[in-house]
Amino acid sequence: MTLLLERMDHVRSAAVNFLVPAGCVYDPPERLGLVSILSDMITRGAGDRDSRALTMAMDSLGLDHSESVGQLHLRFWGSTLARSIPAALEVYADILRRPHYPAEEIDAVKALALQDLQALEDEPRAKVMVELRRRFWPMPLGQDRRGTAESIERITVGDIRAFHQKRFSPQGIILSVAGNIDWLPLREQVGKLFGDWSGAKVEPVVNKPPVFGNVHLCKDTTQTQIAIAYSSVPFGDPDYYAALGAVQVLSGGMGARLFTEVREKRGLCYSVGASYQTFKQVAGVLCYAGTTTERAQETLDVTVGELQGLINGVTEEEVQRVRAGLKSSVIMQEESTSSRAGALASDYYYLGRVRPVEEIQAAIDALSPESVLTHVKKHPPRDFTIVTLGKESLKMPPS
Amino acid sequence: MSFHQHVLSNGLTIIGEISPSARSVGVGFFVKTGARDETPAESGVSHFLEHMVFKGTPHRSALQVNYDFDRIGASYNAFTSEENTVFYAAILPEYLPQAVDILADILRPSLRGDDFDMEKKVIIEEIGMYDDQPMWCAYDNAKKAFFADHPLGNSILGTAASITSLTREQMQTYYDRRYVAPNITVAVAGNFAWPDAIKLIEKQCAHWPTGQAPRQNIRPAQARAHMQVMTKEKLNQEQVFMLSPAPAANSPQRYASDTLAMILGDDSGSRLYWALVDPGLADSADMSFHDYEGTGSYFTSFSCEPENTQDNLAIIQEILREVQREGVSEEELAVAKRKILSRVVRGSERPMNRMQALGMGWTYLHCYRSVDEELKNFDAVRLQDIRKVLDEYPFDPLTILALGPLPKLD
């Protein structure tokens, strides 16, 4: 288990962030949705406290918290006044090491999981992105954490306890803390709480190529949802900053290309954008646009046109704006204990170290039209995975 | 943190809270106008105007506005509510002059015809987007049902029809009427120097027209016993909202109301959570306190499988009856205060949040509340204050609106 601290003198709060390598890619194939259900069950009693007492303990500490399921990690996030963090860590030790997983509550949690699945059908924007990820990422990275109605039905408390036994081990856990916290007492306390915990190493995920292709999902909605993805280079790749720069040219601010061409100049959308997403070996650019059905074809064509148009180069003015935006984000992140705790863990997971601010700034300053174009030529936006959801299907662009 | 205030000769108010350890500065222009200030023919104009503010001035085209903001790495946006239209940006301290320059310039927009016609399409798209979001539809319709002919029931977005028929001249008239200097507050929070801020803002805004922009119909909302079911067969989950009156934004009782809403309906550990979400009867259930000028409202809501809706409604009504009878416990009050302390302190660490609180505080109260004062006010809430607010703003009668596959509800 790795402990990271960034001491922030200018705040009164602190945030803790446990990344546990037990994300939904580890759902057993016959028990899809298991990690999501586990993430709810895990706070229904731990150590000496039953469900109510545990919630009361966290609430009394003013600990705003969430347990969220990612592809590779189960993330336990909490934030409160710095002085309450030691007590919060005691509670987290119970949750991670001694959860009750009360059998009498499994039906309630499964009912919530089913509703989560049903609610997705009522949220077309979220739904289209789930379907995009299922088709774009290699499996099981593209798997949705929600599972299916049939698999949820099958899950038992026994399954959850077995999963915890097998997968919850200090090996690979990253605990990052940011805020007004001293290092030595923190290290000592974490050592006491977790030092005697042993467990097996997590086996790496084996990726299989994606199987599904483009699809149109028919639904009677006012807007048509358009989701597009293409490959990029992962975080840690020498080209990473150029890749990020290219996405910022597309979607970094309201002067960026997608907003300008699709929304400002043509009024086709309210919401349009692209974001960079990464895993250790693969990465991609995921784009979204929502538009009334009559205008969906034009929206798709213009959006794809902008993605493909990157190959023609980017201007110095564009890159200057990208640099300004990235630089601002990095500095303003220093105001947020949660953002810093998240960034520490992310850096450590991908790179095995935490990047100093100066390194990030220097990399941003080094961005140029040439460096971005070189990257785009090596990894041109193409071979798009496209999912649409709405009343009518669309004509797909030529590859 | 130190507070400062200055009023220009045209009536524009500038307020600032300096935090030397902050890494950024937030600046916001708070215009005291919103959906409630619209005539029916103008429905949606405040929000459409908010969009048009970014579409150019005599000095800048729409593209130049966006480029200028991006060039200084600003995080910027705007929002329109029933009562306020707020334009804001967070920037690194060295870019405050440019940010003020851009914001002050766009607040005197050109409202060019071509831009108006194009942006109208974007508004229609936005209306379409919300149309596909059942929780939003339920919320919007519940608000209309509760407020009825009170202007707070006015739609912020307008409808496709009202937006389509809106003319540029109507927008210009509305703008001239509402965007006058005494109706605008500029709030600045974070790492900046007060004399510099005044100079920058005065230079850009001293020539803005003065005038009065009175608000009509400031009155408390009436409680209404009302049940409305909107059937959309293709949805999976049922969304339900339940509204009742609450204290106004300038009421000293708003701290008690906010605390009560948290005890009853916070995400974690509240009565609604334990009664509905924990046992899996609803996938969400919450209560919040919304305050406005002259009135306020409690919004209670839940979403669930259609077949559980009737029972869940009964459970909530029993919870509300019980709290009406018995109040809350000392323990519930104590825990709520710990949560509030944590949230207020954490929120105060970002200049953007302080700027919003500053601007809203001034708009509704014409006074400054430091973080410590806010914490003191919440800490001062006693059981008898909760009892008093329950007596004056009971949870009965309720305006109830359900949206989903159900054909009817009792």
Side-chain angles (χ1 to χ4, degrees):
Chain A
M1 183 162 148
T2 305
L3 173 65
L4 306 164
L5 169 69
E6 179 165 302
R7 190 184 159 73
M8 295 162 73
D9 284 329
H10 54 284
V11 295
R12 284 195 266 175
S13 73
V16 304
N17 186 49
F18 286 86
L19 280 190
V20 178
C24 69
V25 297
Y26 298 105
D27 277 347
E30 293 302 303
R31 300 286 189 271
L32 297 177
L34 186 147
V35 173
S36 289
I37 287 177
L38 181 151
S39 74
D40 187 335
M41 287 289 283
I42 203 169
T43 53
R44 291 179 181 241
D48 293 333
R49 298 180 180 101
D50 66 12
S51 184
R52 290 239 177 192
L54 190 63
T55 295
M56 176 67 86
M58 290 192 281
D59 285 355
S60 301
L61 293 172
L63 184 74
D64 265 338
H65 65 96
S66 72
E67 300 68 51
S68 68
V69 179
Q71 300 310 107
L72 290 156
H73 293 103
L74 184 47
R75 182 179 179 225
F76 295 82
W77 166 86
S79 182
T80 181
L81 298 178
R83 64 173 188 245
S84 299
I85 291 292
L89 287 171
E90 303 267 336
V91 175
Y92 274 118
D94 277 344
I95 289 172
L96 289 171
R97 298 184 67 178
R98 292 169 284 274
H100 295 180
Y101 294 132
E104 64 273 18
E105 304 213 18
I106 188 75
D107 287 341
V109 175
K110 282 162 70 164
L112 290 171
L114 275 169
Q115 288 178 77
D116 196 14
L117 199 53
Q118 280 155 207
L120 182 62
E121 298 305 313
D122 293 346
E123 294 159 29
R125 178 172 180 168
K127 171 77 176 172
V128 80
M129 296 313 287
V130 164
E131 294 304 323
L132 179 72
R133 291 191 292 264
R134 265 204 326 138
R135 285 164 170 77
F136 172 67
W137 296 116
M139 280 303 187
L141 290 176
Q143 198 163 280
D144 187 59
R145 62 170 181 78
R146 293 172 181 85
T148 66
E150 297 73 33
S151 65
I152 290 170
E153 193 56 38
R154 283 195 287 268
I155 292 168
T156 66
V157 165
D159 293 330
I160 292 176
R161 292 195 178 133
F163 185 95
H164 184 106
Q165 186 68 20
K166 184 171 173 197
R167 298 257 173 237
F168 271 65
S169 131
Q171 301 222 40
I173 292 184
I174 299 171
L175 167 56
S176 58
V177 181
N180 205 329
I181 300 282
D182 292 322
W183 171 242
L184 289 174
L186 174 71
R187 193 178 73 177
E188 192 186 327
Q189 187 195 13
V190 171
K192 277 211 198 88
L193 293 173
F194 296 100
D196 63 341
W197 191 14
S198 62
K201 203 159 181 238
V202 171
E203 72 256 16
V205 171
V206 176
N207 291 334
K208 296 192 287 268
V211 281
F212 313 104
N214 295 342
V215 71
H216 172 74
L217 302 166
C218 217
K219 201 170 173 80
D220 186 9
T221 46
T222 304
Q223 284 205 319
T224 292
Q225 315 291 327
I226 298 172
I228 306 167
Y230 60 92
S231 291
S232 185
V233 298
F235 183 25
D237 186 287
D239 254 22
Y240 162 73
Y241 288 96
L244 198 60
V247 176
Q248 295 291 104
V249 165
L250 287 173
S251 192
M254 295 200 215
R257 290 191 183 183
L258 288 178
F259 197 89
T260 300
E261 294 302 322
V262 180
R263 175 168 155 166
E264 295 277 81
K265 286 189 181 166
R266 294 174 174 79
L268 290 168
C269 290
Y270 172 74
S271 186
V272 59
S275 69
Y276 168 86
Q277 295 180 22
T278 188
F279 295 100
K280 268 191 174 162
Q281 285 121 15
V282 293
V285 180
L286 276 62
C287 314
Y288 169 82
T291 178
T292 43
T293 298
E294 302 69 41
R295 322 191 65 205
Q297 187 67 56
E298 189 185 354
T299 301
L300 175 64
D301 294 342
V302 173
T303 302
V304 170
E306 287 307 312
L307 302 179
Q308 291 170 328
L310 275 178
I311 200 85
N312 300 321
V314 304
T315 67
E316 175 56 44
E317 289 72 32
E318 282 179 307
V319 176
Q320 186 276 322
R321 293 195 296 269
V322 165
R323 285 196 293 257
L326 289 174
K327 182 180 158 198
S328 257
S329 303
V330 168
I331 294 177
M332 290 203 231
Q333 198 191 67
E334 288 171 29
E335 290 164 343
S336 164
T337 55
S338 310
S339 297
R340 282 311 295 154
L344 294 178
S346 169
D347 267 19
Y348 197 85
Y349 169 69
Y350 285 103
L351 306 174
R353 65 184 183 91
V354 177
R355 292 171 296 164
V357 167
E358 299 74 28
E359 176 188 323
I360 304 175
Q361 299 277 41
I364 293 169
D365 285 334
L367 281 176
S368 68
E370 295 72 38
S371 67
V372 172
L373 184 57
T374 303
H375 160 73
V376 171
K377 285 198 170 134
K378 269 198 294 200
H379 303 274
R382 66 166 184 220
D383 300 329
F384 302 112
T385 302
I386 300 178
V387 176
T388 54
L389 188 159
K391 286 197 264 235
E392 289 158 22
S393 65
L394 304 176
K395 208 163 61 111
M396 292 292 113
S399 282
Chain B
M1 293 187 186
S2 61
F3 175 72
H4 307 268
Q5 179 217 346
H6 179 69
V7 183
L8 301 183
S9 51
N10 60 6
L12 184 98
T13 302
I14 310 169
I15 52 175
E17 183 189 76
I18 299 171
S19 178
S21 64
R23 303 306 198 244
S24 66
V25 56
V27 53
F29 284 66
F30 291 71
V31 186
K32 196 177 162 182
T33 199
R36 73 171 298 165
D37 303 299
E38 298 168 0
T39 66
E42 292 170 328
S43 177
V45 71
S46 312
H47 170 252
F48 191 172
L49 173 57
E50 178 224 306
H51 277 238
M52 287 306 295
V53 160
F54 289 92
K55 298 297 280 189
T57 75
H59 313 289
R60 290 176 165 96
S61 68
L63 209 48
Q64 282 169 323
V65 171
N66 293 341
Y67 284 170
D68 285 352
F69 271 124
D70 284 354
R71 209 172 279 131
I72 58 175
S75 286
Y76 66 102
N77 213 325
F79 67 84
T80 308
S81 72
E82 294 86 350
E83 299 191 311
N84 299 291
T85 314
V86 182
F87 304 85
Y88 58 90
I91 56 267
L92 299 181
E94 61 260 40
Y95 294 122
L96 182 61
Q98 292 93 323
V100 169
D101 189 77
I102 304 166
L103 282 169
D105 186 31
I106 65 178
L107 266 266
R108 313 304 306 168
S110 294
L111 306 182
R112 288 184 261 270
D114 289 348
D115 295 323
F116 182 85
D117 293 337
M118 184 58 72
E119 196 65 12
K120 193 175 271 202
K121 301 183 198 194
V122 175
I123 305 287
I124 304 283
E125 291 296 331
E126 189 176 353
I127 291 173
M129 177 185 83
Y130 282 112
D131 215 33
D132 288 336
Q133 294 179 16
M135 185 162 85
W136 168 264
C137 286
Y139 166 82
D140 203 39
N141 282 287
K143 204 168 61 95
K144 273 200 200 64
F146 172 71
F147 284 111
D149 59 358
H150 190 295
L152 286 172
N154 291 353
S155 166
I156 296 171
L157 288 172
T159 61
S162 73
I163 294 296
T164 301
S165 60
L166 205 63
T167 66
R168 189 221 161 272
E169 287 63 43
Q170 279 174 294
M171 183 178 284
Q172 184 71 57
T173 305
Y174 179 84
Y175 171 83
D176 292 336
R177 195 168 90 228
R178 303 297 302 169
Y179 278 58
V180 289
N183 213 29
I184 302 174
T185 302
V186 184
V188 191
N191 190 346
F192 70 101
W194 178 244
D196 296 347
I198 301 224
K199 228 166 82 192
L200 286 168
I201 296 165
E202 180 144 28
K203 179 159 175 268
Q204 307 285 44
C205 306
H207 66 282
W208 286 9
T210 190
Q212 291 311 304
R215 174 165 280 163
Q216 318 294 343
N217 280 313
I218 300 171
R219 62 176 198 270
Q222 297 305 316
R224 314 174 61 211
H226 180 75
M227 164 79 81
Q228 188 179 340
V229 178
M230 294 175 65
T231 305
K232 285 194 175 180
E233 278 145 13
K234 300 220 177 99
L235 292 175
N236 278 350
Q237 295 283 88
E238 193 78 17
Q239 309 283 337
V240 181
F241 277 82
M242 304 153 73
L243 273 58
S244 59
N250 62 352
S251 164
Q253 289 182 299
R254 66 190 181 284
Y255 298 100
S257 274
D258 216 358
T259 307
L260 175 62
M262 176 180 279
I263 291 170
L264 292 175
D266 189 46
D267 284 348
S268 171
S270 67
R271 292 197 188 183
L272 287 180
Y273 172 81
W274 289 117
L276 290 177
V277 180
D278 181 72
L281 298 173
D283 65 346
S284 74
D286 49 64
M287 180 191 291
S288 55
F289 162 62
H290 295 215
D291 51 355
Y292 311 92
E293 186 169 12
T295 193
S297 172
Y298 292 112
F299 281 64
T300 305
S301 70
F302 66 96
S303 67
C304 65
E305 285 178 326
E307 55 265 29
N308 289 338
T309 309
Q310 197 73 67
D311 288 344
N312 286 344
L313 204 51
I315 291 172
I316 293 184
Q317 282 167 323
E318 180 47 43
I319 288 174
L320 295 177
R321 274 194 295 270
E322 187 188 16
V323 77
Q324 196 67 52
R325 272 192 325 263
E326 326 260 343
V328 304
S329 71
E330 284 284 9
E331 187 180 59
E332 283 176 313
L333 183 57
V335 172
K337 286 180 181 181
R338 303 265 184 82
K339 285 185 186 177
I340 289 166
L341 169 64
S342 171
R343 285 176 199 177
V344 169
V345 167
R346 281 182 292 119
S348 74
E349 289 168 354
R350 304 207 85 155
M352 183 75 102
N353 295 337
R354 283 307 298 153
M355 181 271 295
Q356 298 282 359
L358 223 65
M360 284 306 179
W362 198 268
T363 298
Y364 284 103
L365 302 167
H366 295 291
C367 81
Y368 168 66
R369 297 165 301 172
S370 68
V371 174
D372 286 338
E373 266 157 18
E374 271 302 80
L375 291 173
K376 263 213 283 271
N377 288 328
F378 277 108
D379 201 47
V381 173
R382 298 279 169 271
L383 287 181
Q384 55 258 42
D385 301 314
I386 305 246
R387 179 72 262 160
K388 187 159 177 278
V389 86
L390 280 166
D391 290 339
E392 288 176 29
Y393 300 93
F395 289 114
D396 177 48
L398 288 168
T399 299
I400 302 175
L401 184 130
L403 184 147
L406 284 181
K408 66 179 183 63
L409 258 182
D410 299 324

